[in-house]
Amino acid sequence: MVNQSPSTDPDHHLVRAIAQGDAHALHQLYGRYGPGLLNYLAGRLDDTPLAEEILQDVMLAVWHNAAGFRGESSVRTWLFSIARHRAINAHHRRPPTAAPLLDNIESDTGAWRIEQVAQRDALSDAFQKLPDDHREVLELTFYHGLSRIEAASVLDVPEGTVKSRLSRAKTTLRRILRKEGIDHA
Amino acid sequence: MPEYQTHTDWQDMLPEYIAGTLPDAARHALEDHLANCHECREAADDWRDIATITRKAAQSRRTQLPPLQIPFSKADAPNGRGVYLPEKPIKENRSVSINPNIISVPKNKRAVSRRPIPLTLVAATTLVLLIVGLLLATMSRNASFLGAPQGYSVPALVQIDSENADDVAPLYTISMDDNVRGLYWSPDGSKFALVPSAVNVTYIIDLNHPDHEARPYAGVFGTWMPDGQTFVTLQPDAVLVHSADTGRELTRFDYTGRMPQRAEWVNEDSFLVVYNGGVDHISLSRDTVIESYADAMEYTLLTNEVPLGETGYHLEVYENTLSGLPTSYDVQAEDRELTLAPFINRPVAGLNITRSTYQATLTDGVTYIWNADTGVEIFQFPQDTMPLSNLMVNPDATIAVARESNSDAVHIWDLTEGVRSALLDDGSVPPMLWFEPAWYSTNGMYFVTQQGSTLLIWGVAETTRIPREIRLPATQQILPVTLTPTFTPTPIPTLPAPSPTWIPTATPVGGVGSGATSCLVHVVQAGDTLLSIATQYNVDPAALATINRIDESMSVVVGDALIIPIGGCDPAFDGGMPIHPTPISGEGQPTVISPADATGTPIQSAPIGGQPTVPPGECLITTIEDVDAYNHPDTGGSVIMHVPAGTDVIGRLETGGWYMVLNTEINRVGWVEASAVTVEGEVCDHLPAPTPTHVP
């Protein structure tokens, strides 16, 4: 179980130290979670410089808000939750981008030309065509290693939604691949 | 179809299984199932592939962690309040466009949030309200008067020849045995709410009422409504609406378990309640919550004066989920474009916070007073050697009040004549309010100073010219705290071991010798219930609930102090009836627990007859640095005391790394984090939570 109780999660000590103004502890936390958070932010924003900027905001929020961290969740969950809010706010400030939406995928007939690709590359390509919330839940689960409870907490949705979103992501992937003529699974 | 359900459940576990985040027990069970379920194994393979491409996709993002670039100045240190501090505290300015050439009248004259959240208050105060080095000339005769602003009628002032100090006397005095937590003027300035530091009681004092009685109401003051009669108080389990006119409780909203923290009026009919977990918007006419922001913790109300008939306010809500990050909700959003008058680039030296119509600026040694609505400069004072601060201008721009930074003497200026009309130098100081810096009434007719434990209410305008007789003479004091003797340690001359008291107990009422009451105070510990406390002291639970003004069915809050109704304890507090300042007799003997001596030995508890008892776990501790003490062992509580570095306090280790401390210098109890203090000796450590001292 990844979700650790406050007493066993060593990161809680770091956060407590941060709450008392220990900048070194903040650097430690940054070193531990910064790479993952940056990756997550870059994935959400599709803009690495912006993601780096947002990450600084996240750490500043941690610095200011550490005292408010109640330890009801894992530190990692807390950090991703902050990052997610920041990413959403930053996203809203940007002009809308043409994110590949499921509707587009279904209405599109042959707009995608995947040439001479191995199946795994097709899978990767299909992954990029998933709606952002599907990619997000997949990444949180398989790349960042968040449990369903933690992912639900970060995404601010019920656990059941994480479950169904994962399931839909799988179904969508399969549908995309079928469209590509690659009958995976 | 139980089998199908089970099958789905197994399938649902697969992502976590592949990710390696499934708890062991579930993983073993799933593996057993997979051994017999071909379909599930196929699905697991699918998930394995998906996991692989997910990781691959994530890894393909080439990111390099930049260095952490956060200014770690002291000012940026964590606020310690558990509330996210926005980097740009003045949210009001977010949509402000500054055009130095345009003067326009803001729609809302009182756009400044009157009582923002504490942190916002701190930030806003730092940036806007706190006066930094206002140098205001005291050479009044040299002040150049530019005339009263247009559109204002200027009532004739009674000329006050107050350079003679003997002529100066306050209109009212209010003596207290406690400090003031907050003082809140009603919109018309005819009444004010007074909240003592230690008890959850609001006193309304109506200056126009012939009796000048201080009428107590349950709960801590929340907000006035614009009518100046209706007001809101907050209890741990309820939000109450009262009429100051009739003294009646108009309505009550149940907030059991939600701990209302603040209230803020929105318009004539509605107000906001910030509770632990959300923000509600409550309509009085509909007697119900009309909007609710669950999971919101804190808020900044950017505009709360909405003229009746118009709609639109902007509510900044801070989410109370894991992040505590701000989310802005536009509630019938009104994009009010505030155009600022051309003096914006001058440093703000003062601001009338109750009505932001007037501002003072300081440029090249000259203090200017401006009408912020019109941009008209209405007054100038050349620089003088006497630095003034806290300049306030009354709504009619006829009077300015400021106090000397050094001496706390108060200058009153007649802006219609351009003269200093009064100089109060009686040694009184601005009231030591923890929250509302409301030393000047909203109608510009009164201001408040403090002298020792006495609040002095002064009049400045025609109807309340200075001097006037003291309407509440010292023999008829209003003693808010003595009536509910919680946390009000008071020296009692007849006692062998005078203050400070650890658990505050008895307080003389109506003067020494007229009788005294004794109340035991129990500080609620984790696991306590009303019933368990009642059982512990062998008192009637109903009586316990009544005397503490809490609902018998409601749970008690850890850290709260409950009065134990034994030994003749008589808080003389009966359901909101007016308290008349008459002596209250009691039969019980006061109980006093003396503090530790300087060597840090445990605190001796000495009832009036001697027989000391020793509450365990108490000791003398010293604060390392300036710390805030909270009303609960929780940074989410309210700051009730600022303890300067090096203060010796008597402390007791509580659960969760908090010390309950008694600041013996001001006889006030609060909670500080253990990290903020050093302990002399080891007596504080590793001792069980103390039980309250009970002297039979």
Side-chain angles (χ1 to χ4, degrees):
Chain A
M1 189 68 180
V2 175
N3 200 14
Q4 300 190 23
S5 70
S7 56
T8 59
D9 188 345
D11 294 330
H12 281 86
H13 297 291
L14 275 184
V15 176
R16 270 198 290 277
I18 293 166
Q20 289 160 13
D22 185 346
H24 180 68
L26 187 73
H27 277 281
Q28 268 187 284
L29 197 74
Y30 183 66
R32 191 173 299 175
Y33 290 107
L37 291 168
L38 181 59
N39 189 292
Y40 170 79
L41 288 167
R44 303 287 71 73
L45 298 165
D46 199 25
D47 182 345
T48 302
L50 180 62
E52 290 176 356
E53 191 185 316
I54 300 298
L55 181 59
Q56 299 290 333
D57 286 348
V58 171
M59 297 314 289
L60 188 62
V62 168
W63 179 243
H64 280 147
N65 204 35
F69 178 64
R70 304 278 180 208
E72 290 160 356
S73 70
S74 70
V75 171
R76 179 172 56 173
T77 308
W78 182 55
L79 292 173
F80 273 94
S81 192
I82 296 172
R84 182 168 188 274
H85 280 88
R86 286 286 155 140
I88 289 171
N89 288 344
H91 201 69
H92 286 168
R93 287 199 297 269
R94 292 196 308 172
T97 55
L101 298 175
L102 188 58
D103 291 344
N104 298 342
I105 294 168
E106 287 175 333
S107 62
D108 195 297
T109 53
W112 300 327
R113 294 285 176 263
I114 302 172
E115 301 163 18
Q116 308 294 320
V117 289
Q119 180 169 306
R120 183 54 47 79
D121 289 335
L123 269 171
S124 296
D125 206 67
F127 180 84
Q128 297 302 340
K129 291 183 168 63
L130 283 173
D132 185 65
D133 61 342
H134 287 185
R135 279 187 286 134
E136 184 179 22
V137 74
L138 288 173
E139 283 181 28
L140 289 176
T141 301
F142 295 117
Y143 184 69
H144 299 289
L146 266 60
S147 69
R148 190 195 296 168
I149 295 171
E150 290 178 309
S153 186
V154 169
L155 297 170
D156 203 10
V157 295
E159 257 188 87
T161 305
V162 172
K163 208 165 62 180
S164 59
R165 205 172 281 179
L166 280 167
S167 179
R168 281 211 313 279
K170 182 163 172 271
T171 309
T172 310
L173 261 182
R174 185 177 291 162
R175 193 185 307 152
I176 294 169
L177 291 169
R178 200 170 289 138
K179 269 185 183 300
E180 304 295 334
I182 301 164
D183 194 12
H184 176 78
Chain B
M1 302 280 286
E3 281 186 11
Y4 177 75
Q5 287 295 331
T6 305
H7 187 69
T8 306
D9 289 343
W10 292 125
Q11 296 257 346
D12 284 340
M13 289 161 71
L14 289 172
E16 277 184 285
Y17 172 66
I18 298 300
T21 54
L22 203 59
D24 284 347
R27 182 167 56 82
H28 294 320
L30 177 62
E31 281 169 353
D32 288 344
H33 178 77
L34 284 173
N36 301 311
C37 176
H38 177 71
E39 193 186 344
C40 294
R41 283 201 301 276
E42 281 194 342
D45 288 339
D46 286 356
W47 279 116
R48 207 168 275 120
D49 283 340
I50 291 169
T52 303
I53 61 163
T54 302
R55 292 187 190 116
K56 190 180 168 195
Q59 284 161 359
S60 70
R61 285 179 211 121
R62 292 202 181 83
T63 54
Q64 192 174 4
L65 194 63
L68 193 53
Q69 297 166 336
I70 293 182
F72 291 111
S73 68
K74 187 72 178 174
D76 283 322
N79 53 66
R81 297 291 301 278
V83 180
Y84 177 65
L85 182 65
E87 292 97 308
K88 294 173 183 172
I90 309 179
K91 294 289 185 183
E92 294 92 331
N93 281 348
R94 192 167 50 185
S95 61
V96 168
S97 69
I98 298 172
N99 183 339
N101 299 318
I102 294 178
I103 298 170
S104 76
V105 180
K107 202 176 218 172
N108 301 299
K109 293 180 181 178
R110 277 189 277 170
V112 172
S113 176
R114 296 172 311 134
R115 285 195 308 113
I117 62 172
L119 278 175
T120 307
L121 178 63
V122 169
T125 303
T126 304
L127 287 169
V128 182
L129 301 182
L130 271 188
I131 291 90
V132 182
L134 166 60
L135 299 176
L136 192 58
T138 54
M139 298 169 64
S140 63
R141 308 292 168 183
N142 293 337
S144 62
F145 178 60
L146 302 181
Q150 292 181 347
Y152 286 89
S153 62
V154 182
L157 281 179
V158 173
Q159 186 64 38
I160 305 164
D161 179 17
S162 59
E163 300 288 343
N164 179 357
D166 291 341
D167 289 346
V168 179
L171 293 167
Y172 310 101
T173 60
I174 302 173
S175 295
M176 303 174 303
D177 284 340
D178 189 11
N179 282 316
V180 186
R181 198 186 321 187
L183 192 156
Y184 311 90
W185 288 95
S186 65
D188 66 356
S190 67
K191 308 178 197 65
F192 61 90
L194 191 65
V195 183
S197 284
V199 288
N200 292 343
V201 177
T202 295
Y203 288 87
I204 302 294
I205 292 146
D206 185 346
L207 295 179
N208 290 340
H209 193 282
D211 293 342
H212 304 306
E213 62 190 10
R215 191 188 290 260
Y217 296 84
V220 172
F221 187 79
T223 182
W224 286 103
M225 296 304 288
D227 66 3
Q229 294 291 349
T230 312
F231 66 97
V232 178
T233 66
L234 310 172
Q235 285 191 321
D237 63 338
V239 170
L240 315 178
V241 182
H242 311 268
S243 166
D245 196 18
T246 65
R248 288 197 177 147
E249 182 180 307
L250 301 176
T251 184
R252 172 186 289 249
F253 299 91
D254 180 29
Y255 276 77
T256 302
R258 290 190 286 168
M259 296 285 290
Q261 292 159 7
R262 303 186 62 80
E264 189 88 37
W265 64 274
V266 173
N267 58 34
E268 303 272 346
D269 178 56
S270 69
F271 61 95
L272 297 170
V273 172
V274 181
Y275 60 90
N276 187 11
V279 177
D280 282 347
H281 184 194
I282 294 178
S283 164
L284 286 177
S285 61
R286 289 193 256 169
D287 200 20
T288 184
V289 174
I290 54 176
E291 288 169 303
S292 191
Y293 303 90
D295 287 339
M297 175 169 61
E298 289 288 358
Y299 72 99
T300 304
L301 187 60
L302 298 183
T303 304
N304 67 353
E305 179 171 0
V306 181
L308 201 58
E310 294 188 35
T311 59
Y313 58 94
H314 182 94
L315 181 63
E316 185 100 2
V317 178
Y318 291 73
E319 289 191 354
N320 186 26
T321 55
L322 297 166
S323 65
L325 288 175
T327 296
S328 173
Y329 292 86
D330 285 324
V331 184
Q332 299 173 318
E334 173 191 57
D335 284 324
R336 183 171 60 90
E337 186 160 305
L338 177 64
T339 329
L340 298 181
F343 58 80
I344 188 65
N345 289 327
R346 296 182 181 175
V348 172
L351 175 67
N352 183 336
I353 62 159
T354 53
R355 291 175 184 240
S356 59
T357 307
Y358 302 101
Q359 297 212 34
T361 65
L362 179 66
T363 304
D364 297 332
V366 179
T367 299
Y368 302 83
I369 299 177
W370 303 80
N371 181 329
D373 284 355
T374 62
V376 173
E377 177 187 328
I378 62 169
F379 217 81
Q380 287 183 6
F381 297 97
Q383 186 178 16
D384 194 80
T385 54
M386 198 76 75
L388 300 187
S389 62
N390 285 12
L391 179 82
M392 311 289 266
V393 179
N394 75 342
D396 293 328
T398 54
I399 303 166
V401 180
R403 71 185 173 90
E404 286 180 17
S405 300
N406 300 333
S407 72
D408 287 320
V410 177
H411 297 242
I412 302 175
W413 300 78
D414 178 351
L415 298 184
T416 62
E417 298 292 331
V419 297
R420 186 174 67 195
S421 56
L423 173 64
L424 305 176
D425 193 7
D426 65 337
S428 62
V429 299
M432 306 286 279
L433 304 178
W434 301 117
F435 297 120
E436 190 90 335
W439 77 297
Y440 195 54
S441 73
T442 44
N443 62 358
M445 290 166 63
Y446 310 102
F447 65 93
V448 184
T449 65
Q450 186 169 20
Q451 196 158 38
S453 62
T454 303
L455 279 186
L456 311 173
I457 313 292
W458 305 84
V460 291
E462 181 180 23
T463 54
T464 56
R465 54 178 292 200
I466 300 173
R468 280 294 176 266
E469 76 269 25
I470 301 169
R471 304 293 292 274
L472 294 179
T475 53
Q476 293 188 356
Q477 297 169 345
I478 300 166
L479 297 167
V481 177
T482 56
L483 302 167
T484 47
T486 311
F487 288 167
T488 56
T490 307
I492 302 171
T494 57
L495 298 179
S499 69
T501 55
W502 169 232
I503 301 294
T505 51
T507 315
V509 176
V512 174
S514 65
T517 65
S518 168
C519 288
L520 199 59
V521 175
H522 176 94
V523 179
V524 177
Q525 309 290 320
D528 276 354
T529 64
L530 196 66
L531 190 61
S532 75
I533 297 167
T535 307
Q536 185 178 345
Y537 295 98
N538 195 24
V539 298
D540 179 20
L544 181 62
T546 303
I547 203 166
N548 289 287
R549 302 183 62 79
I550 56 179
D551 192 330
E552 211 178 330
S553 62
M554 146 199 168
S555 59
V556 292
V557 178
V558 173
D560 269 1
L562 298 184
I563 299 167
I564 308 300
I566 55 173
C569 170
D570 178 13
F573 192 85
D574 55 351
M577 291 300 291
I579 291 178
H580 298 287
T582 52
I584 298 168
S585 62
E587 296 173 351
Q589 292 297 308
T591 303
V592 171
I593 306 165
S594 71
D597 64 26
T599 63
T601 53
I603 296 162
Q604 301 293 311
S605 171
I608 279 214
Q611 301 107 12
T613 61
V614 183
E618 293 163 10
C619 59
L620 192 67
I621 60 182
T622 306
T623 50
I624 302 169
E625 55 187 14
D626 294 357
V627 294
D628 288 341
Y630 295 86
N631 62 344
H632 296 296
D634 179 354
T635 51
S638 303
V639 174
I640 60 169
M641 161 170 71
H642 302 281
V643 187
T647 305
D648 287 341
V649 294
I650 297 167
R652 185 171 66 189
L653 188 62
E654 301 282 313
T655 55
W658 286 81
Y659 277 96
M660 181 177 178
V661 300
L662 169 67
N663 184 344
T664 57
E665 291 178 6
I666 59 172
N667 280 348
R668 186 188 292 264
V669 175
W671 278 261
V672 301
E673 291 181 272
S675 57
V677 299
T678 56
V679 177
E680 294 183 14
E682 299 298 325
V683 287
C684 283
D685 290 336
H686 311 303
L687 284 168
T691 53
T693 306
H694 177 207
V695 180

